[in-house]
Amino acid sequence: MEISENDAMNSPIATSNSRRKSGRAVRAPQKFVPDALPSSPANPNGKRKRRDDNAGDDIENESASQGEADDDEDEESSDEEEFREAKKRTRNAVKNHVAKKSKFNGAASRASAPAVKLPNRPRKTAKPRKAIIKDLNAKGLYAEVFTSDTPSDIVANNWLDQYKDDNPAAMAELVNLVLRSSGCEIEVTEDDINDPDNVPNRLNDLQEEEKGKNVVDYPLLPKSKSSHAFRTSLTAFFTYLISAMHTTGVLYDDIALIENIHLWVTTMSSSYLRPFRHTATVVALSIATSMCEIAKTQAASNAATVAQLQTEKGKKKGSNKARIDDFEKIIAKGEESRRACENTIRDFFDTVFVHRYRDVDPRIRTDCVDALGQWIMILPEIFVDNEYLRYLGWMLSDPSGPTRHEVVKQLEKIIRKKDIIGTIRHFIERFRARMVEMAAKDAEISVRASAIDLLDMIREVGMLEPDDIDTVGKLVFDSEPRVRKAVAEFFCENITDLYESKIEDLGGEEALEDAFTSDEAEHGSPRLGWIKLKCLAEVLLSYDSDSSEESASQTTHDADQGDIINAGKLESRFSLASQALYDKFPQLQDWEMLAEYLLFDHSAQRTGAAGSIEQDLRAAYKLDEKEDVILLEALYTSVKLDLASADDHEKLKDAARKRTSKAEIKAAQESTARRLAQLIPLLLKKFSANPITISTVLRLEHVLNLDIFQQLRQDSTAYAELLHQITTQFSGHADQRVLAEASAALLHAKGFEDLEEVTEEQLQLLWDNTLDSFRKRFPKTKHIIVRGDSRADVLVELGNAVVRIGKLASISDPIERFEAVPIVKAKATEREKMTVIDMLFECVGRGLLQEADSEIDELEDRLVSAACQASLFYFMWKARSLRECMEAGTSISDRDLDRLKERKNRFKTALTSILTSRADADDTRLLATGTLLDLYSLSTTLSPTKLAKAQGADHGQNMEMDFSDPYAQFSTLIEHIEPAVQQELATIFALLEKKFAKKARKSLEAPADDDEPEDMDSEVDDDEDDDDTGITDADRRNEILTVERQLCDLTGKLILAILAGVLDAAGSLKGKLCARIQRNRHKLGPNFKEVVAYLDDPKMKGAKKSHKSKAQQATAEAKKAKSAEVVEEEEEEEEEEEEAEAGEGGDVFADLEPEEGTGEISGQRDLLDEDPPHNTNEGDDDEEVAEAQGEDVMGD
């Protein structure tokens, strides 16, 4: 039988006056006593008395039981003894009571089951804190904080107890903690603490003593692994200390404590020693942050108490005045404490932050930014005000990148807090322009990316102007991949807004459902995704203000390169933008829908009256020619990334790969390849008129996996059709981009053996058609080499044919076709009997410039450049063929070798005539120079000595060349560049060097004192001053990059020839050109410096980088100076002896002295007659000086 609470209230224990007739007291039931009696032994009315520490609840209990207190007092005194006896009996009964049997799911356990006592689970104990540093000399509070395993909160409470016992001693420990944390081992005493007026003087004394030690390293510097933990422990101690002061009331009762802390810390924060200043600032900021937390907690507690007060006042039956008075006292005390905290916070802000936010040390400024951001988030009612927010705005222009980055991150946190957006509107309007500037032009990539994210948040709340949106959106074309990736989401949101506005103008999505085909899966049917792709193309086109100039520059680049190895790797800005948008733009991921959209015929007649929704809808997704270009680039990117994602999926771990089987991935790749092979010919047919679009379509073949066609023989017809379309475009276009992409596609096809037969058929057809076209258009005059004897249209056709020959020669062996003698009639002229290679030499000879003719010079130079490239490919293939014969042991006739020498001499003569007949560093002269250097360097690959070393390395043994072998005659092909030609090369190098220095506004080193002075202001430079008028900054940057690339290309070829031993290796000019190249190695930028670095000793380049400081390296070098001089003298003597013995049976190539020039070359010997630079590391010294100066500027 259960006993209710009402029965308990009427039990004999509860009503002690009820007695039996026998006089014995009524015993309480044993089952009831354990729950009722121990809970409230002093309250016979059954009311639970609350704890004394809760004043509000005590007031409520007292007011509720006020009417019954007097009546119950007499009953308590009379029955107290009887109550104690009953309580004692109850405890004994509870101890001897049999425990209830446990139940499972409501059912009692079996009676026979023995009671099982489970072992007590060991309590989890908190792991002791690891020591931050290992300092055996640490003592006092410093040791407790950093070297012991005691938690920071316990250390703070212990110090507070110590402070209560001995104020000066504890305060001295606290100040010494800050001093030791800054690396200072000098301590303050209790006398210093007792004299607060002398604090500045005492700290000045400490500074003077520390200044003599030249301490530059202190614990807070992020140079060691423990620096972060040290900083965390230091700030945690002060955070717990302020919290303990608040909890115990010392913060409000003993104002002198916080005032003393403030005095010492703020005085140290203005020290001219960086360790003092930085450490004290970190401590002060952590104290202020802790005070902000306390003020926030106090404000929340006051708000809750105010709510209770309002509730008490609003009671209908009458409020308790005593309770209201207590509430009001609590609120008043809380407000007083909150105001004290806020005053302390403002004191720290005015004395520390206001001065340190512009400190010379960027780390201190960054700490200030981080602290201010925390204060704003903790106490927005105080710090979300222009008085404090303006500091963040000012620090957006901080010279330190990490500080600016920290400001942006703090602003992101603030804007995420939606309830304060309206308050900071004025701040955003004031500093919005600076934020946009940071996103577009900041020097730090991380800052730009974070600024873009910040502006995206500002755009979401509607505080970004349309012009600012366009400025940020154009960053999708930025050169930095990280910036493009950061702006992708921002850009896609703009596209979505434009798309939604178009859909709304057309009547909404519901109205458009009937206009579209009901089955969107049908290939080629319009769909809503087309409108979004149209929006993408429109926005990209509007942002691409220089699309025409970009196309022209790409054309020029391809023409200058003349090499298809890099074709397709230089992606357009639209392709790069599509890569950044791929993950954020779902329509780009569906490349088949994009291809169908591009193949859609917008010109076909459609049903629908004028002004109908069908007509408006077709106008909404109709593409123009420029938008086709953009979406074709997007298609190429989409296909490439789709195939790449499938490859990446196969590389995933087993757990992730289980979701999709290998068979499914392979099937998807096969389907993609087959579908792409069908779409490429269709795209080629539709966009064949525009070279820009056709080159983009041809690039799609590069990503096509041809292994699929090797495995699926039935699809060979589709592949053959694809190759046929590629060769058709190659024959029908003369644009460099189309030819480069088509050549790269054919080269890609040649890499698959099973498809070689189909590919070779197409290549043979291309060779026949191209050579026939070349012979038909070849001049029929007797003097073919004469420049200007052909009409402009003939030169155009002839140049196109030679360009195609050069492209084919770059991917296919042309030797047999170039050397084949044509089958002609008996009365054929000498021109008709010429081989193709001889005809190309004749075209190269037209580069001799005797008299300028502006009408045909450009066409003639184009023909000459193409002939030079095609001829060089012939010699490259020839060198490869001869090397293969040497390795295979095949004999080579002397006649073939003599014919090769004769052709090489003809080619050299024609190239030299181009160099000597021109005064400026024009494109044709530079191309001929590079071709000539490549020709000389190419011959060194036929060196019998090098071949012997290569064969010996392959067979794992040392082999000596038998120079009686017939292949030793190949050494006659290796020639040194004549001194006169070397001077001409130096002249061209000097012209190009000056040209780049002029455009890039860089200074050049003057010649040495023992050299003849150079004319630093050439005619070319004077002419360029006139050409710079009216040129935009973008055009000027393009010109600088073009000239820099030309300079690096020429320098690289010169260095290659020097290393090959065919240039600057013998004679009176030995070493002159090498010294001339190195003269300005530190003046013309990092790219040029890296190219020239190949002239350094390979042993020095391969040496491991030293981890010593610059001072240590300088000391080590000084110790080696004397021994190095002795070694150099000995090496020079040995080299002279080796050179003297070389002609007596040493190196077979040592006696190959260059022939003396004929005098036709106009050189400048003064460019070479100079000593090597005295100090090749002068730039490094300048950098060290600059770093030292920078440290002084940003130092103390």
Side-chain angles (χ1 to χ4, degrees):
M1 179 179 179
E2 297 181 356
I3 300 176
S4 64
E5 292 184 1
N6 295 329
D7 294 334
M9 297 300 295
N10 298 324
S11 64
I13 299 300
T15 59
S16 303
N17 295 331
S18 62
R19 297 263 183 178
R20 290 185 181 184
K21 295 181 179 180
S22 59
R24 293 181 300 172
V26 179
R27 294 184 179 180
Q30 295 181 357
K31 294 182 179 180
F32 174 76
V33 173
D35 294 333
L37 290 178
S39 61
S40 56
N43 193 353
N45 293 319
K47 293 184 179 293
R48 179 171 60 90
K49 185 176 181 180
R50 300 181 184 269
R51 291 178 295 180
D52 296 336
D53 55 351
N54 193 335
D57 295 336
D58 291 341
I59 296 172
E60 183 177 356
N61 288 333
E62 290 173 5
S63 61
S65 60
Q66 186 175 4
E68 301 173 1
D70 298 333
D71 298 334
D72 293 341
E73 184 177 357
D74 296 335
E75 295 178 3
E76 281 187 320
S77 59
S78 62
D79 298 334
E80 183 176 1
E81 182 177 356
E82 186 176 347
F83 173 75
R84 291 177 180 175
E85 293 179 357
K87 183 177 179 181
K88 183 176 182 180
R89 290 193 299 270
T90 301
R91 289 177 180 174
N92 295 333
V94 172
K95 291 180 181 179
N96 298 328
H97 191 273
V98 180
K100 291 184 178 181
K101 296 179 181 180
S102 59
K103 296 181 180 181
F104 300 94
N105 297 328
S109 61
R110 297 180 181 179
S112 60
V116 179
K117 184 177 181 181
L118 297 176
N120 295 330
R121 178 178 296 177
R123 297 179 60 187
K124 293 184 179 180
T125 58
K127 295 183 179 180
R129 182 174 63 93
K130 295 182 179 180
I132 305 303
I133 59 175
K134 295 180 180 180
D135 188 357
L136 299 178
N137 298 325
K139 59 182 180 179
L141 184 59
Y142 180 82
E144 290 293 327
V145 174
F146 298 112
T147 63
S148 69
D149 56 359
T150 308
S152 298
D153 54 344
I154 298 178
V155 176
N157 290 323
N158 293 340
W159 181 90
L160 199 57
D161 294 338
Q162 179 184 357
Y163 175 80
K164 294 177 181 178
D165 297 336
D166 190 351
N167 295 357
M171 193 64 201
E173 288 277 351
L174 187 66
V175 175
N176 289 329
L177 168 66
V178 181
L179 290 173
R180 287 295 305 272
S181 299
S182 64
C184 175
E185 297 183 356
I186 307 173
E187 298 182 349
V188 298
T189 62
E190 297 182 20
D191 295 335
D192 298 326
I193 300 298
N194 292 327
D195 189 6
D197 296 335
N198 194 43
V199 170
N201 296 330
R202 177 56 180 155
L203 287 177
N204 284 333
D205 296 339
L206 294 176
Q207 290 179 115
E208 291 298 327
E209 295 184 29
E210 286 296 310
K211 183 179 180 181
K213 299 179 181 179
N214 293 326
V215 178
V216 294
D217 192 9
Y218 53 99
L220 284 182
L221 285 182
K223 292 185 177 181
S224 62
K225 296 181 179 179
S226 61
S227 60
H228 178 72
F230 186 93
R231 180 193 185 97
T232 302
S233 298
L234 180 63
T235 56
F237 168 76
F238 280 97
T239 299
Y240 285 122
L241 177 60
I242 299 300
S243 178
M245 291 169 60
H246 162 70
T247 304
T248 59
V250 177
L251 183 63
Y252 315 107
D253 300 336
D254 190 356
I255 303 298
L257 174 58
I258 191 64
E259 289 180 350
N260 282 330
I261 295 175
H262 178 267
L263 175 62
W264 283 93
V265 171
T266 54
T267 306
M268 287 184 64
S269 68
S270 60
S271 171
Y272 61 82
L273 290 183
R274 187 174 305 183
F276 281 17
R277 192 171 67 250
H278 189 187
T279 306
T281 302
V282 169
V283 171
L285 296 177
S286 64
I287 292 175
T289 303
S290 181
M291 296 293 292
C292 289
E293 293 284 358
I294 294 173
K296 177 183 178 181
T297 304
Q298 195 68 46
S301 177
N302 291 348
T305 308
V306 169
Q308 293 178 357
L309 176 62
Q310 297 298 330
T311 302
E312 185 66 28
K313 290 182 177 180
K315 289 183 178 180
K316 297 181 179 179
K317 295 183 179 180
S319 58
N320 190 330
K321 295 182 179 180
R323 185 177 176 84
I324 292 175
D325 293 339
D326 290 337
F327 279 143
E328 291 177 348
K329 291 179 181 179
I330 294 173
I331 294 173
K333 185 177 181 180
E335 285 295 323
E336 182 180 358
S337 300
R338 184 183 63 81
R339 285 193 298 269
C341 290
E342 292 178 358
N343 292 334
T344 304
I345 294 170
R346 288 190 175 91
D347 289 341
F348 275 101
F349 185 88
D350 295 336
T351 56
V352 178
F353 180 89
V354 171
H355 299 286
R356 299 279 69 80
Y357 88 95
R358 50 187 178 181
D359 195 276
V360 294
D361 189 350
R363 288 182 289 266
I364 297 178
R365 300 199 300 270
T366 304
D367 291 338
C368 291
V369 173
D370 179 53
L372 181 57
Q374 295 183 52
W375 301 342
I376 293 174
M377 298 298 293
I378 297 171
L379 288 178
E381 61 274 9
I382 295 177
F383 288 98
V384 179
D385 186 85
N386 291 331
E387 179 183 357
Y388 302 101
L389 291 174
R390 60 180 180 174
Y391 291 98
L392 292 179
W394 292 339
M395 298 184 75
L396 287 172
S397 302
D398 193 273
S400 173
T403 305
R404 296 194 303 273
H405 194 194
E406 185 65 32
V407 176
V408 175
K409 289 193 296 185
Q410 296 301 328
L411 289 176
E412 289 178 3
K413 295 179 182 178
I414 295 171
I415 293 180
R416 287 194 188 100
K417 202 166 184 178
K418 302 298 182 182
D419 54 342
I420 62 175
I421 289 297
T423 318
I424 63 174
R425 180 178 294 274
H426 176 72
F427 167 80
I428 293 177
E429 291 178 354
R430 180 179 178 184
F431 295 100
R432 183 179 57 240
R434 173 55 187 158
M435 299 176 192
V436 174
E437 183 182 12
M438 292 174 66
K441 300 179 180 180
D442 197 278
E444 300 290 337
I445 304 302
S446 58
V447 177
R448 297 183 63 189
S450 298
I452 291 171
D453 295 337
L454 174 62
L455 291 172
D456 192 18
M457 297 178 184
I458 297 175
R459 184 196 57 80
E460 290 178 357
V461 296
M463 297 185 186
L464 205 59
E465 297 296 328
D467 293 341
D468 298 332
I469 293 177
D470 291 339
T471 301
V472 178
K474 291 178 182 178
L475 297 178
V476 75
F477 292 137
D478 195 84
S479 59
E480 292 294 337
R482 187 174 175 183
V483 175
R484 296 196 300 269
K485 185 177 180 180
V487 81
E489 187 172 357
F490 183 97
F491 184 89
C492 291
E493 291 296 331
N494 296 338
I495 299 297
T496 302
D497 294 342
L498 179 61
Y499 167 77
E500 292 176 352
S501 64
K502 279 193 173 186
I503 295 298
E504 185 178 354
D505 294 340
L506 293 172
E509 292 188 5
E510 296 180 358
L512 296 178
E513 290 180 355
D514 298 335
F516 284 110
T517 306
S518 60
D519 185 11
E520 289 192 355
E522 180 182 351
H523 291 302
S525 60
R527 58 193 73 183
L528 282 174
W530 289 12
I531 300 179
K532 200 162 190 179
L533 289 171
K534 168 73 173 180
C535 296
L536 172 65
E538 288 179 350
V539 175
L540 288 176
L541 185 61
S542 64
Y543 287 166
D544 182 35
S545 58
D546 300 326
S547 58
S548 59
E549 290 81 355
E550 180 73 18
S551 301
S553 64
Q554 290 179 1
T555 303
T556 305
H557 175 75
D558 290 338
D560 293 341
Q561 283 293 97
D563 186 5
I564 56 88
I565 300 300
N566 293 327
K569 293 185 179 180
L570 299 176
E571 300 182 6
S572 68
R573 62 195 316 192
F574 300 117
S575 178
L576 296 175
S578 301
Q579 291 181 22
L581 300 174
Y582 182 79
D583 294 332
K584 304 294 184 180
F585 205 86
Q587 286 73 20
L588 282 179
Q589 301 173 14
D590 189 357
W591 66 268
E592 291 192 57
M593 181 191 72
L594 180 55
E596 293 167 2
Y597 183 29
L598 289 166
L599 289 172
F600 187 77
D601 187 7
H602 298 279
S603 62
Q605 295 293 331
R606 308 287 176 181
T607 59
S612 62
I613 189 172
E614 289 81 4
Q615 291 289 342
D616 296 339
L617 184 59
R618 283 194 289 271
Y621 61 74
K622 184 178 180 180
L623 297 172
D624 58 23
E625 185 177 355
K626 294 182 179 179
E627 292 169 350
D628 285 334
V629 175
I630 296 174
L631 292 184
L632 281 172
E633 294 284 355
L635 175 63
Y636 165 73
T637 302
S638 178
V639 172
K640 183 177 67 174
L641 295 179
D642 182 72
L643 295 175
S645 62
D647 294 337
D648 294 340
H649 184 81
E650 294 182 354
K651 300 177 183 178
L652 296 177
K653 297 181 180 179
D654 295 339
R657 202 187 307 173
K658 290 180 180 178
R659 302 175 184 175
T660 307
S661 63
K662 291 183 178 180
E664 294 177 352
I665 296 175
K666 186 176 181 180
Q669 291 178 338
E670 292 177 356
S671 176
T672 300
R674 287 195 297 268
R675 180 61 176 158
L676 190 60
Q678 296 172 358
L679 291 175
I680 291 177
L682 298 177
L683 292 170
L684 289 174
K685 290 180 181 178
K686 180 175 181 180
F687 298 105
S688 59
N690 189 347
I692 301 177
T693 56
I694 203 63
S695 61
T696 305
V697 176
L698 287 171
R699 203 178 305 144
L700 288 172
E701 195 273 343
H702 304 171
V703 299
L704 184 61
N705 186 7
L706 298 181
D707 287 328
I708 303 301
F709 297 99
Q710 293 182 214
Q711 300 169 4
L712 306 175
R713 300 289 183 177
Q714 65 272 19
D715 290 338
S716 59
T717 55
Y719 175 68
E721 175 62 22
L722 175 61
L723 278 183
H724 176 69
Q725 290 294 332
I726 293 174
T727 55
T728 301
Q729 300 302 328
F730 185 90
S731 302
H733 283 275
D735 187 81
Q736 290 284 347
R737 287 165 298 185
V738 178
L739 295 178
E741 298 296 347
S743 302
L746 294 173
L747 182 62
H748 177 244
K750 285 188 63 179
F752 298 87
E753 296 180 359
D754 294 344
L755 303 174
E756 186 176 3
E757 182 179 355
V758 181
T759 307
E760 287 298 332
E761 290 179 0
Q762 297 295 333
L763 280 175
Q764 182 63 38
L765 182 61
L766 273 180
W767 269 116
D768 295 340
N769 295 336
T770 304
L771 294 180
D772 289 344
S773 175
F774 177 54
R775 288 187 176 277
K776 289 179 182 179
R777 290 167 174 78
F778 196 72
K780 299 180 180 180
T781 58
K782 295 182 179 180
H783 304 286
I784 305 171
I785 198 172
V786 177
R787 184 185 182 96
D789 62 345
S790 301
R791 300 192 312 271
D793 56 340
V794 175
L795 290 175
V796 171
E797 295 296 332
L798 184 61
N800 293 340
V802 176
V803 169
R804 295 190 184 96
I805 291 174
K807 295 298 181 183
L808 288 175
S810 66
I811 63 173
S812 177
D813 188 353
I815 295 177
E816 183 178 353
R817 299 177 178 88
F818 279 11
E819 295 180 348
V821 179
I823 302 175
V824 295
K825 299 179 181 180
K827 297 182 180 181
T829 62
E830 291 295 329
R831 186 194 66 81
E832 296 174 342
K833 297 179 182 179
M834 294 176 62
T835 60
V836 175
I837 187 62
D838 292 332
M839 297 167 67
L840 291 175
F841 290 159
E842 294 294 327
C843 293
V844 174
R846 298 172 73 96
L848 179 62
L849 184 61
Q850 296 178 347
E851 184 178 355
D853 188 351
S854 58
E855 296 181 358
I856 63 171
D857 278 349
E858 183 178 354
L859 298 177
E860 290 281 4
D861 289 343
R862 178 174 178 266
L863 171 61
V864 171
S865 300
C868 289
Q869 294 172 355
S871 301
L872 181 61
F873 278 120
Y874 164 77
F875 285 102
M876 293 170 67
W877 284 102
K878 196 68 176 178
R880 177 184 177 185
S881 176
L882 294 177
R883 190 176 181 87
E884 291 176 352
C885 292
M886 295 168 64
E887 295 173 352
T890 306
S891 61
I892 302 174
S893 63
D894 294 339
R895 182 181 178 184
D896 293 340
L897 196 59
D898 293 339
R899 187 180 296 113
L900 179 60
K901 293 179 184 178
E902 187 270 334
R903 286 171 177 164
K904 179 181 177 183
N905 292 331
R906 286 185 57 192
F907 192 34
K908 288 193 306 180
T909 303
L911 292 174
T912 305
S913 64
I914 298 175
L915 269 62
T916 58
S917 63
R918 299 167 186 259
D920 298 335
D922 55 58
D923 295 339
T924 305
R925 191 183 189 190
L926 294 177
L927 178 64
T929 303
T931 305
L932 181 63
L933 291 169
D934 288 339
L935 183 64
Y936 276 98
S937 301
L938 182 63
S939 302
T940 61
T941 61
L942 301 175
S943 170
T945 304
K946 294 183 179 180
L947 179 63
K949 292 180 180 179
Q951 291 177 343
D954 294 339
H955 294 84
Q957 58 185 354
N958 294 327
M959 298 181 61
E960 294 183 0
M961 174 61 67
D962 183 8
F963 294 106
S964 62
D965 188 85
Y967 297 122
Q969 61 183 331
F970 285 174
S971 61
T972 58
L973 294 173
I974 304 175
E975 299 176 319
H976 289 269
I977 297 178
E978 300 175 356
V981 179
Q982 181 172 333
Q983 291 184 9
E984 188 70 23
L985 294 175
T987 303
I988 297 172
F989 172 78
L991 287 173
L992 196 56
E993 187 183 56
K994 294 175 185 176
K995 183 178 180 181
F996 173 64
K998 185 72 174 181
K999 288 186 174 295
R1001 295 179 174 86
K1002 297 181 180 292
S1003 59
L1004 298 176
E1005 289 286 347
D1009 296 336
D1010 55 347
D1011 295 329
E1012 297 181 5
E1014 296 182 15
D1015 183 12
M1016 302 301 293
D1017 298 327
S1018 63
E1019 296 179 0
V1020 177
D1021 297 332
D1022 294 338
D1023 295 339
E1024 289 176 358
D1025 293 340
D1026 299 335
D1027 297 338
D1028 288 342
T1029 56
I1031 297 179
T1032 62
D1033 293 338
D1035 293 337
R1036 184 175 290 105
R1037 285 194 298 268
N1038 291 335
E1039 290 181 359
I1040 293 174
L1041 291 175
T1042 301
V1043 178
E1044 184 180 19
R1045 179 178 62 83
Q1046 292 174 347
L1047 176 62
C1048 292
D1049 287 345
L1050 176 60
T1051 306
K1053 292 180 184 296
L1054 289 171
I1055 293 175
L1056 183 62
I1058 292 173
L1059 297 178
V1062 297
L1063 178 65
D1064 200 39
S1068 60
L1069 301 181
K1070 178 181 178 181
K1072 298 296 183 180
L1073 182 59
C1074 181
R1076 178 63 183 87
I1077 292 174
Q1078 296 188 72
R1079 180 200 291 176
N1080 295 297
R1081 67 181 300 176
H1082 301 292
K1083 296 289 186 179
L1084 299 177
N1087 294 329
F1088 181 78
K1089 181 181 178 180
E1090 289 297 322
V1091 174
V1092 177
Y1094 282 90
L1095 286 173
D1096 298 337
D1097 187 0
K1099 296 181 180 179
M1100 297 297 296
K1101 287 177 65 63
K1104 294 183 179 179
K1105 185 177 181 180
S1106 175
H1107 296 281
K1108 297 180 180 180
S1109 63
K1110 294 182 178 180
Q1112 293 173 340
Q1113 293 177 8
T1115 304
E1117 292 295 332
K1119 293 180 179 179
K1120 298 178 182 180
K1122 294 184 178 180
S1123 59
E1125 293 177 359
V1126 176
V1127 172
E1128 289 176 359
E1129 292 178 358
E1130 293 177 354
E1131 289 179 352
E1132 289 177 0
E1133 293 177 358
E1134 292 176 359
E1135 289 177 359
E1136 292 176 359
E1137 294 177 358
E1138 291 176 357
E1139 292 176 0
E1141 296 174 357
E1144 302 178 1
D1147 190 358
V1148 68
F1149 303 107
D1151 57 348
L1152 295 179
E1153 292 292 335
E1155 299 178 359
E1156 208 47 55
T1158 58
E1160 298 176 357
I1161 300 178
S1162 58
Q1164 296 181 5
R1165 185 174 296 271
D1166 59 85
L1167 293 174
L1168 299 174
D1169 295 338
E1170 63 181 41
D1171 296 329
H1174 297 286
N1175 183 13
T1176 57
N1177 296 326
E1178 185 174 353
D1180 294 337
D1181 296 338
D1182 294 341
E1183 293 176 1
E1184 294 178 11
V1185 172
E1187 292 177 1
Q1189 292 176 351
E1191 177 65 20
D1192 292 339
V1193 172
M1194 297 302 296
D1196 305 314

